[in-house]
């Protein structure tokens, strides 16, 4: 506090005078005297007590320092470095952790197993994050961490939706140890990349020989999503189905495959990262910013937004706002058609790309489809609603609601009707043709959820098609 006062007023004497003025106004004479003595103490005559709550961190992007993030025990301070390049971390509210940095922090399951008491402890214990961000205490640490560069595409080891490489990640363990506890040991190391999101995820690296290994000392290139428990054992299968539906519907979708897991575990899903460089010759710089960060909202408010508010935040940021508004509209329709009740602000993002030496982002576009899941197929979620409202509603949506959304966000009616027509037609044609990888199709539970997803997709597509002709 003394350092902040002296910095603000220019000298210890000026800071003491300002403090005394406040003390006299409130009758705090004893406190004012103590503050004056502390502020006027000459360097070397009295050593100030160590501030154990202080934190001083360097934030780097693709290995380039962006600035210093400090905490004095009371509030956060962000000091960007003078540099020629795109602005990534913005301080919108003084004293608050920048929204972009907060969006990188673990939440849900990972936050629980790491036992981080607050944001400071989470940042102190982690080093590597999504969007090619590293947060360290000294610049020397940057050289020790591997760069996230994709050298082995998942497509090389994928056959009809099945991963054909070798899974070499955490297993259940031999001595009554759960998979979650085993996975927790991987995250105990600071070098392990941190992930946000409630679903269990593990950072992995796909090696040239097809081995999928934990990304502790290796580039973080792929994300492993194991099956859940208590009715969510088929979560990876449902997500794979929804991603494949998104692919046939025309969305940009990252490579994904289902994995046969060891120790009798249900199938897992592996997804390729789309926010990293492709090969050693790729000098582009990537960043993924979710809509909690874009709208300057905490992760706890990820269900509080609306599609209309997203459009307002997207428009000034995108390098092609007309095309991205069309994608946002189609993503809202798609989420309704697959009964996705978890398309919240952290599951929607903008992908920012800067060419080498560019002073600003060359491309800022709607990110590819990720974390798309038809939630109504799971126990207790049969009446799950949309995570984000549109036209003031999160359930029982009709063609009229989507047309009202289009008018509000400035999307031409002809484009909106064409988008709904294309999505419903495509999903009606392909919804009944969804084929699981052979090993998964032999599982009774996999066949059941495939039928449920198909029923929702075909049923809701038919409803919108009928309403479109009536409208």
């Amino acid at each position: 506090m003394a350092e902040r006062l002296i910095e603000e007023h220019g000298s210890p004497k000026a800071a003491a005078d300002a403090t005394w003025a406040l003390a006299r106004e409130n009758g705090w004479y004893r406190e004012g005297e103590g503050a004056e003595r502390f502020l006027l103490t000459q360097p070397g005559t009295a050593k100030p007590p160590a501030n154990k709550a202080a934190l001083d961190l360097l934030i780097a992007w693709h290995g380039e320092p962006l600035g210093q993030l400090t905490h004095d025990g009371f509030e956060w301070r962000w000091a960007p470095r003078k540099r020629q390049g795109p602005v990534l971390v913005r301080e919108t509210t003084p004293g608050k952790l920048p929204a972009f940095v907060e969006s990188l922090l673990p939440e849900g399951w990972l936050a629980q197993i790491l036992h981080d008491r607050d944001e400071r402890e989470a940042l102190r214990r982690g080093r590597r994050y999504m969007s090619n961000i590293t947060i360290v205490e000294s610049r020397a640490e940057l050289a020790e961490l591997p760069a996230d560069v994709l050298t082995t595409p998942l497509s090389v080891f994928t056959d009809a939706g099945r991963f054909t490489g070798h899974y070499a990640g955490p297993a259940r363990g031999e001595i009554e140890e759960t998979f979650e506890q085993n996975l927790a040991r991987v995250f105990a190391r600071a070098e392990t990349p941190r992930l946000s999101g409630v679903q269990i995820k593990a950072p992995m690296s796909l090696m040239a020989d097809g081995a999928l290994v934990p990304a502790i000392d290796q580039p973080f290139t792929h994300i492993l999503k194991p099956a859940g428990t208590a009715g969510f054992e088929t979560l990876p299968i449902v997500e794979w189905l929804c991603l494949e539906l998104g692919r046939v519907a025309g969305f940009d979708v990252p490579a994904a495959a289902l994995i046969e897991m060891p120790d009798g575990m249900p199938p897992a899903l592996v997804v390729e990262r789309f926010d990293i460089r492709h090969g050693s010759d790729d000098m582009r710089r990537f960043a993924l910013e979710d809509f909690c960060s874009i709208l300057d909202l905490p992760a706890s408010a990820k269900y509080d937004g609306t599609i209309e508010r997203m459009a307002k935040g997207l428009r000034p940021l995108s390098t092609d706002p007309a095309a991205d508004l069309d994608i946002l509209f189609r993503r809202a329709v798609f989420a309704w058609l697959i009964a996705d009740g978890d398309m919240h602000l952290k599951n929607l993002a903008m992908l920012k790309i800067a060419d080498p030496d560019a002073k600003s982002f060359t491309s800022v576009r709607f990110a590819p489809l990720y974390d798309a899941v038809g939630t109504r197929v799971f126990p207790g979620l049969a009446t799950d609603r949309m995570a984000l409202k549109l036209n003031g509603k999160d359930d029982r949506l009709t063609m009229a609601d989507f047309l009202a959304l289009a008018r509000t966000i400035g999307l031409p009616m002809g484009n909106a009707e064409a988008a709904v027509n294309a999505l419903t037609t495509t999903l009606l044609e392909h919804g009944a043709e969804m084929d699981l990888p052979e090993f998964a199709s032999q599982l009774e539970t996999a066949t059941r959820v495939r039928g449920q997803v198909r029923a929702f997709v075909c049923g809701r597509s038919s409803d919108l098609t009928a309403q479109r002709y009536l409208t």
Side-chain angles (χ1 to χ4, degrees), residues 116-254:
D116 295 327
R117 290 190 296 268
D118 55 21
E119 299 165 337
R120 282 173 292 171
E121 186 170 5
L123 288 169
R124 182 183 280 116
R125 293 175 55 180
R127 291 183 181 179
R128 300 167 62 191
Y129 297 85
M130 295 289 288
S131 291
N132 307 283
I133 292 291
T134 47
I135 302 178
V136 294
E137 295 188 16
S138 68
R139 187 162 186 167
E141 295 179 70
L142 294 178
E144 303 172 0
L145 303 174
D148 295 335
V149 179
L150 180 68
T151 55
T152 307
L154 182 60
S155 58
V156 176
F157 293 98
T158 301
D159 180 23
R162 174 180 171 269
F163 177 62
T164 59
H166 170 60
Y167 173 73
R172 281 194 188 275
E174 295 80 16
I175 313 173
E176 299 182 356
E177 186 176 44
T178 67
F179 178 76
E180 291 83 356
Q181 291 171 331
N182 204 335
L183 193 58
R185 289 208 309 270
V186 174
F187 281 105
R189 294 184 57 178
E191 292 82 5
T192 302
R194 269 37 180 173
L195 295 152
S196 63
V198 175
Q199 184 183 359
I200 298 176
K201 303 173 187 176
M204 308 296 285
S205 185
L206 182 58
M207 312 303 287
D209 62 356
L212 188 65
V213 303
I216 300 175
D217 300 313
Q218 302 290 341
F220 172 23
T221 60
H222 294 79
I223 299 173
L224 176 74
K225 298 186 173 185
T229 57
F232 289 85
E233 291 81 3
T234 57
L235 181 56
I237 293 172
V238 173
E239 183 169 350
W240 183 84
L241 287 168
C242 292
L243 290 177
E244 292 307 303
L245 283 171
R247 205 182 305 277
V248 300
F251 293 108
D252 187 6
V253 181

Side-chain angles (χ1 to χ4, degrees), residues 37 55 127 146 285:
R37 283 196 301 272
L55 194 61
R127 291 183 181 179
R285 290 165 291 172

Side-chain angles (χ1 to χ4, degrees), residues 414-455:
N415 292 15
E417 291 177 352
V420 174
N421 179 45
L423 281 168
T424 53
T425 300
T426 300
L427 294 183
L428 277 171
E429 290 177 357
H430 295 277
E433 302 173 359
M434 295 184 297
D435 290 324
L436 288 165
E438 185 177 354
F439 82 92
S441 63
Q442 297 174 1
L443 303 174
E444 181 181 347
T445 53
T447 303
R448 175 180 55 79
V449 295
R450 181 184 61 178
Q452 289 176 306
V453 171
R454 177 191 302 167

Side-chain angles (χ1 to χ4, degrees), residues 142-435:
L142 294 178
E144 303 172 0
L145 303 174
D148 295 335
V149 179
L150 180 68
T151 55
T152 307
L154 182 60
S155 58
V156 176
F157 293 98
T158 301
D159 180 23
R162 174 180 171 269
F163 177 62
T164 59
H166 170 60
Y167 173 73
R172 281 194 188 275
E174 295 80 16
I175 313 173
E176 299 182 356
E177 186 176 44
T178 67
F179 178 76
E180 291 83 356
Q181 291 171 331
N182 204 335
L183 193 58
R185 289 208 309 270
V186 174
F187 281 105
R189 294 184 57 178
E191 292 82 5
T192 302
R194 269 37 180 173
L195 295 152
S196 63
V198 175
Q199 184 183 359
I200 298 176
K201 303 173 187 176
M204 308 296 285
S205 185
L206 182 58
M207 312 303 287
D209 62 356
L212 188 65
V213 303
I216 300 175
D217 300 313
Q218 302 290 341
F220 172 23
T221 60
H222 294 79
I223 299 173
L224 176 74
K225 298 186 173 185
T229 57
F232 289 85
E233 291 81 3
T234 57
L235 181 56
I237 293 172
V238 173
E239 183 169 350
W240 183 84
L241 287 168
C242 292
L243 290 177
E244 292 307 303
L245 283 171
R247 205 182 305 277
V248 300
F251 293 108
D252 187 6
V253 181
L258 288 170
I259 302 179
E260 293 182 79
M261 294 291 282
D263 302 329
M265 289 187 290
L269 179 70
V270 59
V271 181
E272 190 162 276
R273 287 184 63 184
F274 51 78
D275 63 332
I276 56 176
R277 292 170 173 168
H278 290 204
S280 57
D281 295 333
D282 188 355
M283 292 292 105
R284 295 174 298 169
R285 290 165 291 172
F286 294 80
L288 188 68
E289 185 170 15
D290 65 44
F291 273 86
C292 272
S293 174
I294 291 170
L295 300 177
D296 195 25
L297 294 171
S300 58
K302 62 187 179 183
Y303 292 101
D304 296 343
T306 65
I307 301 297
E308 291 86 351
R309 187 177 179 186
M310 283 184 59
K312 186 176 181 180
L314 176 156
R315 192 175 283 108
L317 189 62
S318 172
T319 51
D320 191 346
D324 281 334
L325 286 173
D326 182 72
I327 293 174
L328 174 62
F329 177 81
R330 290 190 297 116
R331 288 289 300 274
V333 176
F334 181 70
W336 172 248
L337 294 178
I338 67 171
D340 185 350
D342 203 40
M343 192 187 75
H344 52 66
L345 295 177
K346 286 189 69 65
N347 283 343
L348 296 158
M350 300 294 286
L351 181 62
K352 301 180 174 183
I353 306 175
D355 287 337
D357 301 320
K359 294 183 179 180
S360 60
F361 286 106
T362 312
S363 170
V364 181
R365 297 297 312 279
F366 213 99
L369 181 71
Y370 66 94
D371 288 357
V373 178
T375 55
R376 287 203 173 193
V377 303
F378 298 108
L381 298 178
T383 59
D384 202 22
R385 297 168 177 265
M386 290 277 282
L388 303 174
K389 290 185 178 181
L390 60 90
N391 195 35
K393 297 169 62 178
D394 58 9
D395 198 14
R396 300 178 184 274
L397 299 179
T398 65
M399 185 66 183
D401 293 313
F402 288 110
L403 293 181
L405 169 66
R407 283 192 293 270
T408 302
I409 67 177
L411 187 67
M413 286 296 102
N415 292 15
E417 291 177 352
V420 174
N421 179 45
L423 281 168
T424 53
T425 300
T426 300
L427 294 183
L428 277 171
E429 290 177 357
H430 295 277
E433 302 173 359
M434 295 184 297
D435 290 324

